Amino acid sequence: MGRSPCCEKAHTNKGAWTKEEDQRLIAYIRAHGEGSWRSLPKAAGLLRCGKSCRLRWMNYLRPDLKRGNFTGDDDELIIKLHALLGNKWSLIAGQLPGRTDNEIKNYWNTHIKRKLLSRGIDPQTHRPLSGGAGSALTTTSSTAGFPSPAPASRPTPTPPPAVVVPPNAIFARPAPSEDGHSSSGASTDAPRCPDLNLDLDLSVGPPPKTPAATPASQQRRRTTICLCYHLGVRGGEACSCETASSLAGFRFLRPLEEGQYI
DNA sequence: AATGCATCCAACCGCACCAGC
DNA sequence: AGCTGGTGCGGTTGGATGCAT
């Protein structure tokens, strides 16, 4: 059907941002807040595409961003979350306050992939590489070959992750930095849980049989999970995830007994 | 010191989803 | 119900930088 381009490419700058552009963008967002990205460049006097402005802000200029210095714990958390979620970088980023999906994606591709390969683990499936039996990863998968949480709308050249995320689950975010900035991950207003000392040694079963589980497209925006229950904090004062139960469909993960299916 | 290669990461691109009309 | 605009996401690219020879 041919959509109109997001901006007039003939009159937009591309490539690296200058300090002046950054300052203009920061000043504008401070004054007017985020949003209206399409009209923002003009209003802010920037010769940039709105998408470009959004990306620059989200990935680089936001005041609540940490940069660099991934710790070993961060690595392990990312690995576990990736085993759980697949390439859902925005969801993974939602569990790492101050990190962006782009940063995590880059870090995954440049560091963690290699790390896993050196352990003899397939970075996409989180299973031992062919023939290798040893695995340092503790993620347990009770079944093999069940559908990926990745959207079906995109061809996924790689095998599915070993863990299925139920749709409609609420992914509670840990508290970001104290400044209260609303980081703009995919699970924007999800309730918060305390810093997660994640034990994602999840037992998993086949995907839920609920009808809502089928359209992968629906998962794209709404796949959110409360991990608090599994961590033993759900329902406690640290977790307010039940408030999310009023939202469309609330599921939370709980440990399954061996052989038990959702 | 110069060159080539490898790695990293910011930014771009295309697609999908959602809301409003 | 269908169309369109706005937004967000994931994959990919290309320039910058670091390292080895």
Side-chain angles (χ1 to χ4, degrees):
Chain A
M1 122 176 84
R3 304 188 45 166
S4 58
C6 69
C7 52
E8 290 181 52
K9 300 194 178 194
H11 301 102
T12 54
N13 291 341
K14 289 173 79 170
W17 281 65
T18 65
K19 284 189 173 181
E20 187 189 344
E21 286 177 312
D22 283 347
Q23 290 308 317
R24 277 180 185 263
L25 181 57
I26 290 168
Y28 183 87
I29 290 176
R30 277 189 185 150
H32 301 93
E34 295 179 34
S36 304
W37 295 110
R38 198 180 173 96
S39 58
L40 184 149
K42 195 174 179 182
L46 288 164
L47 294 175
R48 288 277 178 177
C49 173
K51 287 174 75 168
S52 182
C53 293
R54 177 185 160 273
L55 208 63
R56 182 66 177 171
W57 174 256
M58 295 295 189
N59 289 335
Y60 201 83
L61 299 176
R62 259 166 48 198
D64 57 339
L65 292 179
K66 288 185 211 169
R67 299 192 65 77
N69 297 323
F70 281 89
T71 66
D73 286 348
D74 288 339
D75 286 7
E76 293 306 315
L77 178 56
I78 292 168
I79 291 167
K80 288 175 180 176
L81 287 167
H82 186 271
L84 181 69
L85 300 166
N87 292 359
K88 297 290 181 184
W89 305 117
S90 61
L91 287 176
I92 293 170
Q95 295 300 312
L96 289 143
R99 302 294 185 187
T100 70
D101 53 357
N102 206 36
E103 188 180 17
I104 291 173
K105 182 172 58 183
N106 283 333
Y107 188 65
W108 176 270
N109 286 327
T110 57
H111 292 89
I112 299 181
K113 257 187 182 174
R114 213 175 306 153
K115 187 173 175 177
L116 289 178
L117 287 170
S118 74
R119 290 182 187 176
I121 297 169
D122 185 320
Q124 283 302 321
T125 63
H126 296 267
R127 295 183 182 127
L129 288 166
S130 57
S135 166
L137 195 65
T138 56
T139 301
T140 58
S141 57
S142 58
T143 56
F146 49 84
S148 162
S153 54
R154 282 175 203 254
T156 48
T158 53
V163 183
V164 165
V165 177
N168 302 329
I170 303 299
F171 213 131
R173 309 179 64 184
S177 52
E178 297 79 39
D179 58 10
H181 278 103
S182 59
S183 65
S184 55
S187 51
T188 50
D189 294 324
R192 293 169 178 170
C193 292
D195 284 350
L196 295 173
N197 178 18
L198 282 179
D199 172 9
L200 292 181
D201 187 13
L202 294 176
S203 303
V204 293
K209 295 173 187 169
T210 58
T214 42
S217 60
Q218 290 182 4
Q219 292 184 11
R220 177 159 179 166
R221 293 288 169 93
R222 295 288 164 81
T223 300
T224 50
I225 302 162
C226 175
L227 295 170
C228 303
Y229 183 89
H230 184 72
L231 297 169
V233 298
R234 187 180 180 275
E237 53 187 84
C239 175
S240 57
C241 293
E242 60 267 80
T243 60
S245 61
S246 60
L247 303 176
F250 170 68
R251 292 182 70 97
F252 51 83
L253 298 179
R254 65 181 174 82
L256 297 175
E257 303 301 327
E258 196 148 332
Q260 180 187 3
Y261 298 116
I262 297 170

